[in-house]
């Protein structure tokens, strides 16, 4: 490990950070310093077994971040809006890492960013879990830290939880309730993001100063439903719900998801071809569902 450049990975025990840490370890080009709030949890121990140095790193504690980034060549940063449901806190965390990275002279930061929808739409749409990341992205560019932003498409994993097919009230079939109309929605398995990020670290001259949209493919809601129907042997259809009707569903983030889908209908830049170059093994939605059939057992 001593002669390899070190990449510090924030959120290394989470879905995206974990995928990145494992992919970098697998590529054997860099050493990994895995940052987590709890170094004793199973995911942290598993990374240590794979060869990572596991250290305590808390995005709410600048001293621990500075200590973790000292001597590192680069870092992968992912912040989690859903931890506190606070854009303000997420922006605060991201800016603090940018300041520390600038101070310590990191050579390459890959930030898991997204667009600032509020700014791009002149305030017409607000998507808090995008907007904060967009603000941090803009701040990074302004500091001059050598940075690549990866904007990850909707996770296929959402179809196992929040977007799982729902039983139709009026018949023996299921629906996908997503207000996308007939516009294709980009998607990717979070597990496939790591290899793409690892490739970006391997080619700094190509990617520093750029935003890269990651996506395995783009399907309409009906096409997602068709894949699920075929793989699961169930009748699954697009519910054809409008964003307005979706907002009235009344669960806590209904308006945010509807606004996100309205933004997705504006076709933000996600590069399927480049994603396949960065990770040749990236899974299609069909492969993803086949591998996760067990999660749909309850249907």
């Amino acid at each position: 490990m001593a002669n390899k450049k070190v990449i510090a990975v924030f959120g290394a025990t989470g879905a995206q950070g974990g995928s990145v840490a494992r992919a970098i370890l697998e590529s054997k080009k860099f050493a990994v310093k895995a940052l987590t709030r709890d170094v004793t949890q199973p995911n942290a121990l598993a990374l240590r077994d794979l060869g990572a140095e596991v250290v305590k790193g808390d995005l709410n504690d600048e001293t621990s971040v500075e200590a973790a980034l000292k001597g590192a060549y680069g870092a992968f940063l992912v912040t989690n809006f859903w931890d506190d449901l606070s854009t303000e806190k997420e922006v605060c965390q991201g800016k603090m890492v940018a300041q520390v990275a600038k101070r310590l002279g990191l050579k390459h930061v890959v930030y898991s960013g997204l667009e600032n929808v509020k700014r791009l739409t002149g305030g017409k749409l607000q998507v808090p879990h995008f907007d904060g990341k967009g603000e941090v992205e803009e701040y990074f560019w302004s500091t001059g830290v050598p940075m690549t932003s990866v904007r990850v498409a909707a996770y296929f994993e959402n179809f196992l939880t929040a977007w799982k097919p729902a039983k139709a009230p009026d018949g023996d079939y299921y629906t996908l309730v997503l207000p996308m109309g007939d516009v294709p929605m980009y998607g990717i398995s979070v597990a496939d993001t790591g290899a793409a990020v690892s490739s970006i670290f391997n080619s700094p001259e190509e990617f520093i100063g750029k935003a890269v949209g990651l996506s395995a493919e783009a399907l309409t809601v009906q096409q997602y439903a068709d894949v699920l129907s075929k793989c699961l042997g169930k009748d699954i259809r697009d519910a054809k719900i409008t964003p307005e009707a979706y907002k009235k569903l009344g669960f806590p983030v209904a308006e945010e998801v509807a606004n996100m889908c309205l933004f997705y209908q504006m076709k933000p830049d996600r590069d399927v071809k480049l994603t396949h170059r960065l990770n040749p093994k990236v899974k299609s939605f069909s492969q993803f569902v086949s591998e996760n059939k067990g999660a749909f057992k309850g249907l």
Side-chain angles (χ1 to χ4, degrees), residues 53-66:
E53 179 192 353
V54 179
V55 298
K56 195 170 165 58
D58 185 342
L59 283 168
N60 300 313
D61 174 15
E62 189 168 342
T63 312
S64 85
V65 168
E66 180 133 13

Side-chain angles (χ1 to χ4, degrees), residues 213-235:
L214 297 179
S215 173
E217 62 183 332
L219 302 175
T220 63
V221 175
Q222 186 55 56
Q223 286 171 324
Y224 281 112
D226 290 344
V227 169
L228 286 161
S229 298
K230 192 178 170 191
C231 286
L232 304 175
K234 305 273 181 188
D235 181 2

Side-chain angles (χ1 to χ4, degrees), residues 30-166:
F30 294 95
V32 169
K33 195 185 268 189
L35 277 55
T36 178
R37 281 176 297 198
D38 177 6
V39 296
T40 63
Q41 61 168 295
N43 286 357
L45 300 175
L47 283 172
R48 197 179 64 193
D49 291 343
L50 289 170
E53 179 192 353
V54 179
V55 298
K56 195 170 165 58
D58 185 342
L59 283 168
N60 300 313
D61 174 15
E62 189 168 342
T63 312
S64 85
V65 168
E66 180 133 13
L69 289 182
K70 237 189 180 110
Y73 157 83
F76 171 75
L77 173 63
V78 58
T79 51
N80 189 353
F81 168 82
W82 305 106
D83 267 357
D84 301 287
L85 299 178
S86 163
T87 302
E88 199 180 337
K89 196 163 187 185
E90 187 172 33
V91 169
C92 212
Q93 291 174 339
K95 285 184 172 180
M96 181 264 281
V97 174
Q99 288 158 8
V100 174
K102 176 78 174 168
R103 207 158 56 230
L104 295 177
L106 264 66
K107 297 290 185 279
H108 194 183
V109 175
V110 176
Y111 174 56
S112 184
L114 283 166
E115 291 85 354
N116 187 339
V117 177
K118 187 179 176 183
R119 188 177 59 74
L120 289 173
T121 62
K124 285 197 189 85
L125 294 177
Q126 289 191 37
V127 187
H129 76 281
F130 275 57
D131 298 342
K133 290 182 178 70
E135 207 179 310
V136 171
E137 209 180 83
E138 290 154 14
Y139 183 77
F140 258 107
W141 302 130
S142 76
T143 62
V145 171
M147 193 270 275
T148 306
S149 182
V150 290
R151 297 169 178 168
V152 182
Y155 292 171
F156 289 159
E157 282 75 4
N158 290 334
F159 288 97
L160 310 179
T161 54
W163 302 345
K164 210 172 190 171

